[in-house]
Amino acid sequence: MNAQQPMLRDVKHIDWEPLMAERTKRMKSSVIRELLKLTVKPDIISFAGGLPAPEFFPVREFDEACQHILSTCGPQSLQYSTTEGHAPLREWLAESMRKYGIDVEPDNILMTNGSQQALDLIGKIFVDPGDCILTSAPTYLGALQAWNAYEASYQTIELDDEGMPVEGIPEIVKKHHPRLVYVLPNFHNPGGVTTPLARRERLVEMARKHDLILIEDDPYGELRYDGEDVTPIFRLAPERTIYLSTFSKTLAPGIRLAWIVAPKAVIAKLVQAKQGADLQTGTFVQLITHDICQRGILKSHVKKLRVVYKERRDAMLAALDKHWPSSCAWTRPQGGLFLWASVPKSVDTAELLVKATEKKVAFVPGFAFYPDEKQGRNTMRLNFSNATLEQIQEGIRRLGTVLNETL
Amino acid sequence: MNAQQPMLRDVKHIDWEPLMAERTKRMKSSVIRELLKLTVKPDIISFAGGLPAPEFFPVREFDEACQHILSTCGPQSLQYSTTEGHAPLREWLAESMRKYGIDVEPDNILMTNGSQQALDLIGKIFVDPGDCILTSAPTYLGALQAWNAYEASYQTIELDDEGMPVEGIPEIVKKHHPRLVYVLPNFHNPGGVTTPLARRERLVEMARKHDLILIEDDPYGELRYDGEDVTPIFRLAPERTIYLSTFSKTLAPGIRLAWIVAPKAVIAKLVQAKQGADLQTGTFVQLITHDICQRGILKSHVKKLRVVYKERRDAMLAALDKHWPSSCAWTRPQGGLFLWASVPKSVDTAELLVKATEKKVAFVPGFAFYPDEKQGRNTMRLNFSNATLEQIQEGIRRLGTVLNETL
């Protein structure tokens, strides 16, 4: 070794900024990720993240699956495999989605590293710099992060109690020519609302008329606590819908396993994009997940989660009713992990968060879910899946106190 | 469900091609990935892939690590974690790279889903459409795939026995203004050659003079069979080098785990790019890999691999000497998984591959490793890590027969 050479910590730094690509200027750290740092402090009650309840992860079942896979096909589970994903897992998914009316072949499915990668790959194959994407305001923050890197622009329609209204679409199409429409019809993140069938049908009608691609993001579809399943948009317009779902909320996020359903012409291009992006999703996690799925564990586990999360949602709604001023409003989600609250316009929730963390309670300020961060300043997202009933009651009480002090 | 709605297989397909982004036109399926389909036929002797020997994967050690992690920190191992990667694993890596003179802090390290993702993220933050990247010809195919998606252009310098010659750099800089230089100084893929210290030092000198960023891809550094370790380029120019390495070749590729070492200003942007690309690398695989590493298993495992792969390399070299016509030439790699062969100019190795697969033996035609696929038509890459000694002898004999028949 050259002892005379300086180490990294001693050398003069070069100025990297001018060496970077144009798109890099649009990248910034997400508020959610920064806020996750708050959640590691054990004394904070956090409604900020989108974390499932770790105390219910099927740890023993994972252990059994790991032992089974390593003892029966150890070398295969640790080797390279195909970009498309483990074929038996895609077969299982094709079979299991039929109950929702998503009737496709395994070759219509691509496995991804969480739905975040699905969003990234969609941006990669569809979005040219400046291309317009139509979505609701608020919308899922991770989608904005993925597509900002491809220099997308956004047109938004304000979310209502039934999801994204569709009446405004023709005018936006005329002016801004979006090709992609991004929706979260079940238990919207962050909005907590669900789009009924009639509006889904009107959306599909407009998509057909204006030749739009529909991105249907459905991470929480299985986590319904009240009411009946609504037909997926994919079922209504399979020729132009790209459907996303994930094991992150039903099984565990730490395995990073999700999937895209799309026509084969789209899957073919997504596969090529994924080859360049990371070759393939992990063989090992796909094999153990398939083992867990085909032993029926996922189904019974989701049943348990529905009971647990319903209780937590109900506890949060009851605490809000009890502790928050009547000038505030919030959604009553039929499923998922989040509800969405509005406070009087005079309150900026980013400022409120500072006071809240002093009282050891956290949430995500709503502006983070808008392409235009000047919007949604009096809103917030509250997660109810990752706190106990006691924490929910105490945390919402503390937030009520902070709100009452501020107003 | 709407029984009157048609299923995907019945609907009229829409024309997706015109809906896709400009960059998507440059994506195509890699020859290597298509060839991997050959390797699944059990009766073919394949020197095509870059697969490690699965019979030596530490399956039992993985099993122990899974059990240990799930029993001691199961919920944590299945939960979301940070984009940067599991801190104790980054600490272990920082410590373990010191023996090569790469003396950095854990915060100089980002965990990625295989080195392919590292290449993708580098493209994402550095490459604007049309930007020039300087590399050797041939060069690693996966890097071209990653950067094609960002519409990179390439300038190449023909590889020699010491890697990429550096004398031509000033002229290329003058004409094409590359910002990035991509090199594989140890056991080049596909070339099999290693760059000696003197040339590394001259490269660094030129990079400093012309303000170039050096991408040092080092997947095989630990797998040296002869000779002495050469100082990494990162050690010589830590202020402007981005160093990549991986567990894929030393432990197992099916866990998709690699890392990037870079100045913190670069890591910060890579982290933001990764947030949008897939949020984080799997928590579970990072925790089990850390468990394996800190129990000293990786070190002893690499020792074993060196013995096995050296034997295979030697068997391939001996078989080539014995069976191939004297008009052919090949490299004698000091490590890694590949050697590179040239046949007389009259032979197109893509055509040769068709004849070879009839004789149940496969390789990668060399053109796949050139940005300009008209180059390298009489070359091929041979992998020696994923075949037994008998298969190597028999496969090289068959290829010799095909070559003799063709010439």
Side-chain angles (χ1 to χ4, degrees):
Chain A
M1 299 296 149
N2 307 36
Q4 74 277 20
Q5 291 284 348
M7 297 297 176
L8 179 57
R9 60 179 161 274
D10 307 317
V11 295
K12 192 168 168 287
H13 292 307
I14 66 175
D15 186 6
W16 289 90
E17 196 91 9
L19 299 170
M20 289 183 181
E22 192 57 32
R23 74 178 73 80
T24 310
K25 295 173 190 156
R26 295 192 45 165
M27 292 178 196
K28 47 191 178 174
S29 198
S30 108
V31 178
I32 281 194
R33 302 298 296 178
E34 295 307 311
L35 279 172
L36 276 182
K37 291 175 187 169
L38 292 179
T39 69
V40 292
K41 289 185 201 161
D43 61 337
I44 277 213
I45 298 175
S46 179
F47 306 129
L51 283 71
E55 64 271 33
F56 294 99
F57 286 150
V59 172
R60 188 174 48 80
E61 290 80 358
F62 264 97
D63 194 13
E64 286 164 5
C66 288
Q67 288 187 46
H68 182 239
I69 289 300
L70 286 167
S71 65
T72 56
C73 50
Q76 182 204 343
S77 75
L78 298 173
Q79 186 60 290
Y80 285 113
S81 60
T82 64
T83 305
E84 290 82 354
H86 186 49
L89 181 57
R90 290 185 294 131
E91 279 160 32
W92 187 90
L93 283 170
E95 182 57 39
S96 102
M97 285 187 292
R98 261 177 221 132
K99 68 168 182 258
Y100 294 114
I102 298 180
D103 188 352
V104 295
E105 296 166 43
D107 287 351
N108 293 111
I109 301 172
L110 168 66
M111 302 309 301
T112 60
N113 302 333
S115 277
Q116 188 66 39
Q117 188 184 40
L119 296 166
D120 177 69
L121 295 175
I122 287 168
K124 204 163 195 170
I125 72 163
F126 284 114
V127 180
D128 278 317
D131 273 3
C132 175
I133 297 173
L134 173 56
T135 188
S136 59
T139 190
Y140 175 51
L141 169 60
L144 299 177
Q145 262 197 300
W147 297 332
N148 284 345
Y150 300 102
E151 299 172 75
S153 68
Y154 304 95
Q155 286 294 318
T156 58
I157 299 177
E158 202 183 328
L159 203 70
D160 69 15
D161 284 350
E162 298 195 339
M164 188 180 81
V166 298
E167 288 66 32
I169 292 179
E171 202 187 315
I172 289 174
V173 167
K174 209 169 149 187
K175 275 195 199 159
H176 303 280
H177 316 289
R179 282 200 301 268
L180 302 180
V181 182
Y182 173 66
V183 289
L184 303 110
N186 291 327
F187 331 128
H188 188 282
N189 177 5
V193 295
T194 295
T195 304
L197 182 60
R199 184 177 283 183
R200 295 181 191 210
E201 286 173 337
R202 284 207 306 285
L203 174 63
V204 161
E205 212 174 283
M206 290 199 183
R208 287 205 170 117
K209 189 167 168 193
H210 299 289
D211 203 17
L212 301 169
I213 301 166
L214 300 169
I215 315 292
E216 179 179 26
D217 195 355
D218 188 25
Y220 321 108
E222 299 256 16
L223 298 174
R224 174 177 275 284
Y225 319 128
D226 307 317
E228 295 291 314
D229 290 332
V230 185
T231 305
I233 291 168
F234 188 92
R235 176 74 187 87
L236 304 174
E239 85 285 0
R240 62 181 63 253
T241 304
I242 300 174
Y243 175 88
L244 315 183
S245 194
T246 178
F247 288 109
S248 288
K249 305 305 188 284
T250 54
L251 201 55
I255 54 169
R256 309 307 298 129
L257 199 54
W259 66 95
I260 310 181
V261 182
K264 285 178 195 173
V266 178
I267 294 290
K269 277 293 169 193
L270 289 170
V271 165
Q272 289 170 15
K274 186 168 163 72
Q275 281 184 7
D278 70 355
L279 261 186
Q280 60 157 114
T281 291
T283 318
F284 186 59
V285 291
Q286 290 187 78
L287 265 67
I288 58 177
T289 301
H290 176 244
D291 189 67
I292 285 172
C293 287
Q294 61 133 9
R295 285 192 285 143
I297 289 162
L298 184 66
K299 207 175 153 179
S300 60
H301 184 61
V302 166
K303 254 187 200 164
K304 186 163 80 181
L305 289 183
R306 284 193 199 116
V307 175
V308 174
Y309 291 164
K310 182 187 197 313
E311 271 185 356
R312 291 181 177 192
R313 177 204 61 177
D314 292 344
M316 189 170 275
L317 288 170
L320 285 162
D321 283 334
K322 188 171 171 192
H323 297 295
W324 277 31
S326 61
S327 54
C328 300
W330 49 87
T331 54
R332 293 178 176 266
Q334 296 182 316
L337 308 187
F338 305 105
L339 58 81
W340 182 249
S342 307
V343 299
K345 293 258 185 208
S346 60
V347 179
D348 185 314
T349 51
E351 290 165 21
L352 194 75
L353 178 64
V354 179
K355 295 183 197 165
T357 51
E358 282 165 16
K359 291 229 174 353
K360 306 283 182 194
V361 56
F363 58 84
V364 184
F367 77 85
F369 303 96
Y370 289 79
D372 170 7
E373 294 185 353
K374 287 191 287 295
Q375 290 189 280
R377 302 299 313 191
N378 66 321
T379 60
M380 68 175 80
R381 190 188 74 175
L382 296 168
N383 167 262
F384 53 78
S385 60
N386 189 31
T388 62
L389 298 178
E390 294 68 33
Q391 287 171 327
I392 288 171
Q393 282 147 11
E394 175 60 18
I396 294 296
R397 191 194 61 76
R398 287 186 204 167
L399 278 178
T401 309
V402 176
L403 271 165
N404 279 316
E405 285 171 9
T406 306
L407 286 166
Chain B
M1 298 297 148
N2 307 36
Q4 74 276 22
Q5 291 284 348
M7 296 299 176
L8 179 58
R9 58 180 164 275
D10 306 317
V11 295
K12 192 167 166 287
H13 291 308
I14 66 174
D15 186 6
W16 288 90
E17 196 89 12
L19 300 169
M20 290 182 180
E22 193 57 33
R23 74 178 73 81
T24 310
K25 294 173 190 155
R26 294 191 46 164
M27 291 179 197
K28 46 190 180 174
S29 197
S30 108
V31 179
I32 281 195
R33 301 299 294 177
E34 295 308 310
L35 279 172
L36 277 182
K37 291 175 188 169
L38 293 177
T39 68
V40 292
K41 290 185 198 160
D43 61 337
I44 277 212
I45 297 174
S46 179
F47 306 130
L51 284 71
E55 64 271 32
F56 293 100
F57 286 151
V59 172
R60 187 174 50 79
E61 290 80 359
F62 265 97
D63 194 12
E64 286 164 4
C66 289
Q67 288 187 47
H68 182 238
I69 289 301
L70 286 166
S71 65
T72 55
C73 49
Q76 181 204 346
S77 75
L78 298 172
Q79 187 60 290
Y80 286 112
S81 59
T82 62
T83 305
E84 291 80 354
H86 186 49
L89 180 57
R90 290 185 293 131
E91 277 160 32
W92 187 90
L93 283 170
E95 181 58 40
S96 102
M97 285 187 293
R98 261 176 222 134
K99 67 169 182 258
Y100 294 114
I102 297 179
D103 189 352
V104 295
E105 295 165 44
D107 286 351
N108 294 111
I109 301 173
L110 169 65
M111 302 309 301
T112 60
N113 303 331
S115 276
Q116 188 66 40
Q117 187 182 43
L119 295 166
D120 178 69
L121 296 176
I122 287 168
K124 205 164 194 167
I125 72 163
F126 284 113
V127 179
D128 278 316
D131 273 2
C132 175
I133 296 173
L134 173 56
T135 187
S136 59
T139 189
Y140 175 52
L141 170 59
L144 300 177
Q145 264 196 298
W147 298 331
N148 284 344
Y150 300 102
E151 301 173 74
S153 68
Y154 304 96
Q155 287 295 318
T156 58
I157 299 176
E158 202 183 329
L159 204 70
D160 69 16
D161 285 350
E162 298 195 339
M164 188 180 81
V166 297
E167 287 67 32
I169 291 177
E171 204 185 315
I172 290 174
V173 167
K174 209 170 150 186
K175 275 194 196 161
H176 304 280
H177 315 291
R179 282 200 300 267
L180 303 179
V181 181
Y182 174 66
V183 289
L184 303 110
N186 290 326
F187 331 128
H188 188 280
N189 177 4
V193 295
T194 295
T195 304
L197 182 60
R199 185 177 284 183
R200 296 182 190 210
E201 287 173 336
R202 284 208 306 284
L203 174 63
V204 161
E205 212 173 284
M206 290 197 182
R208 287 203 169 121
K209 188 168 170 193
H210 299 288
D211 204 16
L212 301 169
I213 301 165
L214 299 170
I215 315 293
E216 178 178 27
D217 195 356
D218 188 26
Y220 320 109
E222 297 256 16
L223 298 174
R224 173 177 278 280
Y225 319 129
D226 308 316
E228 295 292 315
D229 289 333
V230 186
T231 305
I233 291 167
F234 188 92
R235 175 74 187 86
L236 303 174
E239 86 284 3
R240 60 181 65 250
T241 304
I242 300 174
Y243 174 90
L244 315 183
S245 195
T246 177
F247 288 110
S248 288
K249 305 307 189 282
T250 52
L251 201 55
I255 54 170
R256 312 304 298 130
L257 200 53
W259 65 94
I260 310 182
V261 182
K264 285 177 195 172
V266 178
I267 293 291
K269 277 292 169 193
L270 289 169
V271 164
Q272 289 170 15
K274 187 169 163 70
Q275 281 184 6
D278 69 354
L279 223 51
Q280 60 157 112
T281 291
T283 319
F284 186 58
V285 292
Q286 290 187 78
L287 264 66
I288 58 177
T289 301
H290 177 244
D291 189 65
I292 285 174
C293 288
Q294 61 134 8
R295 284 191 286 142
I297 290 162
L298 183 68
K299 205 175 156 182
S300 60
H301 185 62
V302 165
K303 253 187 200 166
K304 186 162 79 181
L305 289 183
R306 284 192 200 118
V307 174
V308 174
Y309 290 164
K310 181 188 199 308
E311 270 186 356
R312 293 181 177 192
R313 178 204 62 178
D314 291 343
M316 189 169 273
L317 288 171
L320 286 162
D321 283 334
K322 188 171 171 191
H323 296 295
W324 276 32
S326 61
S327 53
C328 301
W330 49 86
T331 53
R332 295 179 173 267
Q334 295 182 318
L337 309 186
F338 306 107
L339 59 82
W340 181 248
S342 308
V343 300
K345 292 256 184 210
S346 60
V347 180
D348 185 314
T349 51
E351 291 165 22
L352 195 75
L353 178 63
V354 180
K355 296 183 197 167
T357 51
E358 283 164 16
K359 291 230 174 0
K360 306 285 183 194
V361 56
F363 57 85
V364 184
F367 78 85
F369 303 94
Y370 288 79
D372 171 8
E373 294 186 353
K374 289 192 287 295
Q375 288 188 282
R377 303 299 314 191
N378 67 319
T379 59
M380 69 175 80
R381 189 189 74 175
L382 295 168
N383 166 262
F384 54 77
S385 61
N386 188 31
T388 62
L389 298 179
E390 295 68 34
Q391 287 171 327
I392 289 171
Q393 280 147 12
E394 175 59 19
I396 294 296
R397 191 193 62 74
R398 288 185 205 168
L399 278 178
T401 308
V402 177
L403 270 167
N404 278 316
E405 284 170 11
T406 307
L407 285 167

mmCIF file of all heavy atoms in Angstrom, chain A residues 383-403:
data_model
loop_
_atom_site.group_PDB
_atom_site.id
_atom_site.type_symbol
_atom_site.label_atom_id
_atom_site.label_comp_id
_atom_site.label_asym_id
_atom_site.label_seq_id
_atom_site.Cartn_x
_atom_site.Cartn_y
_atom_site.Cartn_z
ATOM 1 N N ASN A 383 -50.970 7.503 10.640
ATOM 2 C CA ASN A 383 -50.889 6.052 10.491
ATOM 3 C C ASN A 383 -51.398 5.385 11.763
ATOM 4 O O ASN A 383 -51.028 5.787 12.867
ATOM 5 C CB ASN A 383 -49.426 5.643 10.234
ATOM 6 C CG ASN A 383 -49.223 4.146 10.392
ATOM 7 O OD1 ASN A 383 -48.773 3.677 11.442
ATOM 8 N ND2 ASN A 383 -49.555 3.385 9.371
ATOM 9 N N PHE A 384 -52.250 4.369 11.601
ATOM 10 C CA PHE A 384 -52.771 3.704 12.806
ATOM 11 C C PHE A 384 -52.321 2.252 12.952
ATOM 12 O O PHE A 384 -52.728 1.566 13.888
ATOM 13 C CB PHE A 384 -54.312 3.794 12.860
ATOM 14 C CG PHE A 384 -55.016 3.294 11.616
ATOM 15 C CD1 PHE A 384 -55.170 1.928 11.383
ATOM 16 C CD2 PHE A 384 -55.526 4.193 10.687
ATOM 17 C CE1 PHE A 384 -55.824 1.476 10.246
ATOM 18 C CE2 PHE A 384 -56.187 3.738 9.532
ATOM 19 C CZ PHE A 384 -56.332 2.382 9.317
ATOM 20 N N SER A 385 -51.489 1.756 12.017
ATOM 21 C CA SER A 385 -51.129 0.327 12.064
ATOM 22 C C SER A 385 -49.970 0.029 13.005
ATOM 23 O O SER A 385 -49.829 -1.095 13.478
ATOM 24 C CB SER A 385 -50.778 -0.165 10.658
ATOM 25 O OG SER A 385 -49.680 0.553 10.122
ATOM 26 N N ASN A 386 -49.155 1.022 13.269
ATOM 27 C CA ASN A 386 -47.911 0.757 13.996
ATOM 28 C C ASN A 386 -47.895 1.384 15.387
ATOM 29 O O ASN A 386 -46.879 1.890 15.840
ATOM 30 C CB ASN A 386 -46.711 1.234 13.166
ATOM 31 C CG ASN A 386 -45.389 0.796 13.755
ATOM 32 O OD1 ASN A 386 -45.297 -0.256 14.383
ATOM 33 N ND2 ASN A 386 -44.363 1.615 13.575
ATOM 34 N N ALA A 387 -49.023 1.366 16.062
ATOM 35 C CA ALA A 387 -49.066 1.851 17.443
ATOM 36 C C ALA A 387 -50.097 1.010 18.183
ATOM 37 O O ALA A 387 -51.086 0.566 17.602
ATOM 38 C CB ALA A 387 -49.456 3.334 17.468
ATOM 39 N N THR A 388 -49.873 0.800 19.468
ATOM 40 C CA THR A 388 -50.841 0.031 20.267
ATOM 41 C C THR A 388 -52.074 0.895 20.536
ATOM 42 O O THR A 388 -52.059 2.118 20.336
ATOM 43 C CB THR A 388 -50.233 -0.361 21.626
ATOM 44 O OG1 THR A 388 -49.935 0.851 22.341
ATOM 45 C CG2 THR A 388 -48.945 -1.165 21.449
ATOM 46 N N LEU A 389 -53.133 0.263 21.016
ATOM 47 C CA LEU A 389 -54.354 1.002 21.327
ATOM 48 C C LEU A 389 -54.070 2.110 22.342
ATOM 49 O O LEU A 389 -54.572 3.230 22.217
ATOM 50 C CB LEU A 389 -55.421 0.039 21.866
ATOM 51 C CG LEU A 389 -55.854 -1.065 20.876
ATOM 52 C CD1 LEU A 389 -56.885 -1.994 21.517
ATOM 53 C CD2 LEU A 389 -56.401 -0.481 19.587
ATOM 54 N N GLU A 390 -53.227 1.803 23.321
ATOM 55 C CA GLU A 390 -52.899 2.795 24.353
ATOM 56 C C GLU A 390 -52.127 3.964 23.734
ATOM 57 O O GLU A 390 -52.388 5.134 24.034
ATOM 58 C CB GLU A 390 -52.051 2.165 25.474
ATOM 59 C CG GLU A 390 -52.769 1.104 26.296
ATOM 60 C CD GLU A 390 -53.087 -0.170 25.500
ATOM 61 O OE1 GLU A 390 -52.292 -0.538 24.607
ATOM 62 O OE2 GLU A 390 -54.149 -0.776 25.749
ATOM 63 N N GLN A 391 -51.154 3.632 22.874
ATOM 64 C CA GLN A 391 -50.368 4.694 22.223
ATOM 65 C C GLN A 391 -51.263 5.561 21.345
ATOM 66 O O GLN A 391 -51.092 6.780 21.283
ATOM 67 C CB GLN A 391 -49.246 4.076 21.384
ATOM 68 C CG GLN A 391 -48.099 3.507 22.218
ATOM 69 C CD GLN A 391 -47.110 2.713 21.376
ATOM 70 O OE1 GLN A 391 -47.484 2.069 20.391
ATOM 71 N NE2 GLN A 391 -45.845 2.755 21.762
ATOM 72 N N ILE A 392 -52.200 4.929 20.663
ATOM 73 C CA ILE A 392 -53.108 5.688 19.790
ATOM 74 C C ILE A 392 -53.927 6.674 20.622
ATOM 75 O O ILE A 392 -54.017 7.861 20.301
ATOM 76 C CB ILE A 392 -54.015 4.729 18.991
ATOM 77 C CG1 ILE A 392 -53.184 4.011 17.903
ATOM 78 C CG2 ILE A 392 -55.192 5.481 18.352
ATOM 79 C CD1 ILE A 392 -53.901 2.888 17.184
ATOM 80 N N GLN A 393 -54.510 6.173 21.730
ATOM 81 C CA GLN A 393 -55.313 7.057 22.572
ATOM 82 C C GLN A 393 -54.482 8.214 23.136
ATOM 83 O O GLN A 393 -54.861 9.377 23.050
ATOM 84 C CB GLN A 393 -55.957 6.250 23.717
ATOM 85 C CG GLN A 393 -57.172 5.470 23.238
ATOM 86 C CD GLN A 393 -57.364 4.155 23.967
ATOM 87 O OE1 GLN A 393 -56.708 3.903 24.975
ATOM 88 N NE2 GLN A 393 -58.262 3.315 23.465
ATOM 89 N N GLU A 394 -53.295 7.878 23.646
ATOM 90 C CA GLU A 394 -52.433 8.883 24.259
ATOM 91 C C GLU A 394 -51.894 9.860 23.204
ATOM 92 O O GLU A 394 -51.885 11.079 23.416
ATOM 93 C CB GLU A 394 -51.286 8.188 25.016
ATOM 94 C CG GLU A 394 -50.240 9.109 25.598
ATOM 95 C CD GLU A 394 -50.805 10.113 26.612
ATOM 96 O OE1 GLU A 394 -51.924 9.905 27.121
ATOM 97 O OE2 GLU A 394 -50.123 11.134 26.862
ATOM 98 N N GLY A 395 -51.469 9.323 22.050
ATOM 99 C CA GLY A 395 -50.891 10.167 20.990
ATOM 100 C C GLY A 395 -51.918 11.133 20.425
ATOM 101 O O GLY A 395 -51.619 12.322 20.220
ATOM 102 N N ILE A 396 -53.128 10.659 20.179
ATOM 103 C CA ILE A 396 -54.167 11.538 19.627
ATOM 104 C C ILE A 396 -54.585 12.579 20.677
ATOM 105 O O ILE A 396 -54.844 13.738 20.344
ATOM 106 C CB ILE A 396 -55.377 10.697 19.145
ATOM 107 C CG1 ILE A 396 -54.965 9.820 17.940
ATOM 108 C CG2 ILE A 396 -56.570 11.590 18.778
ATOM 109 C CD1 ILE A 396 -54.558 10.570 16.689
ATOM 110 N N ARG A 397 -54.586 12.159 21.932
ATOM 111 C CA ARG A 397 -54.867 13.121 23.011
ATOM 112 C C ARG A 397 -53.820 14.250 23.027
ATOM 113 O O ARG A 397 -54.161 15.429 23.056
ATOM 114 C CB ARG A 397 -54.882 12.398 24.377
ATOM 115 C CG ARG A 397 -55.425 13.239 25.535
ATOM 116 C CD ARG A 397 -55.132 12.645 26.904
ATOM 117 N NE ARG A 397 -53.708 12.524 27.189
ATOM 118 C CZ ARG A 397 -52.909 13.541 27.523
ATOM 119 N NH1 ARG A 397 -53.397 14.763 27.615
ATOM 120 N NH2 ARG A 397 -51.627 13.329 27.751
ATOM 121 N N ARG A 398 -52.544 13.845 22.944
ATOM 122 C CA ARG A 398 -51.475 14.869 22.945
ATOM 123 C C ARG A 398 -51.608 15.798 21.739
ATOM 124 O O ARG A 398 -51.451 17.017 21.868
ATOM 125 C CB ARG A 398 -50.100 14.190 22.875
ATOM 126 C CG ARG A 398 -49.697 13.524 24.167
ATOM 127 C CD ARG A 398 -48.269 12.995 24.060
ATOM 128 N NE ARG A 398 -48.054 11.909 25.000
ATOM 129 C CZ ARG A 398 -47.013 11.091 24.974
ATOM 130 N NH1 ARG A 398 -46.075 11.241 24.042
ATOM 131 N NH2 ARG A 398 -46.878 10.138 25.866
ATOM 132 N N LEU A 399 -51.894 15.221 20.558
ATOM 133 C CA LEU A 399 -52.064 16.058 19.362
ATOM 134 C C LEU A 399 -53.244 17.010 19.546
ATOM 135 O O LEU A 399 -53.179 18.172 19.113
ATOM 136 C CB LEU A 399 -52.287 15.182 18.115
ATOM 137 C CG LEU A 399 -51.037 14.595 17.450
ATOM 138 C CD1 LEU A 399 -51.436 13.714 16.263
ATOM 139 C CD2 LEU A 399 -50.094 15.709 16.971
ATOM 140 N N GLY A 400 -54.313 16.517 20.203
ATOM 141 C CA GLY A 400 -55.460 17.378 20.489
ATOM 142 C C GLY A 400 -55.059 18.561 21.360
ATOM 143 O O GLY A 400 -55.449 19.710 21.104
ATOM 144 N N THR A 401 -54.223 18.273 22.371
ATOM 145 C CA THR A 401 -53.729 19.345 23.241
ATOM 146 C C THR A 401 -52.933 20.379 22.443
ATOM 147 O O THR A 401 -53.144 21.588 22.567
ATOM 148 C CB THR A 401 -52.829 18.740 24.351
ATOM 149 O OG1 THR A 401 -53.545 17.675 24.977
ATOM 150 C CG2 THR A 401 -52.436 19.785 25.365
ATOM 151 N N VAL A 402 -52.006 19.886 21.609
ATOM 152 C CA VAL A 402 -51.186 20.791 20.788
ATOM 153 C C VAL A 402 -52.086 21.642 19.895
ATOM 154 O O VAL A 402 -51.896 22.855 19.743
ATOM 155 C CB VAL A 402 -50.181 19.987 19.930
ATOM 156 C CG1 VAL A 402 -49.388 20.917 19.009
ATOM 157 C CG2 VAL A 402 -49.223 19.191 20.802
ATOM 158 N N LEU A 403 -53.106 21.002 19.286
ATOM 159 C CA LEU A 403 -54.028 21.725 18.409
ATOM 160 C C LEU A 403 -54.801 22.792 19.177
ATOM 161 O O LEU A 403 -54.912 23.942 18.726
ATOM 162 C CB LEU A 403 -55.009 20.744 17.767
ATOM 163 C CG LEU A 403 -54.562 20.113 16.448
ATOM 164 C CD1 LEU A 403 -55.431 18.922 16.107
ATOM 165 C CD2 LEU A 403 -54.574 21.157 15.328
#
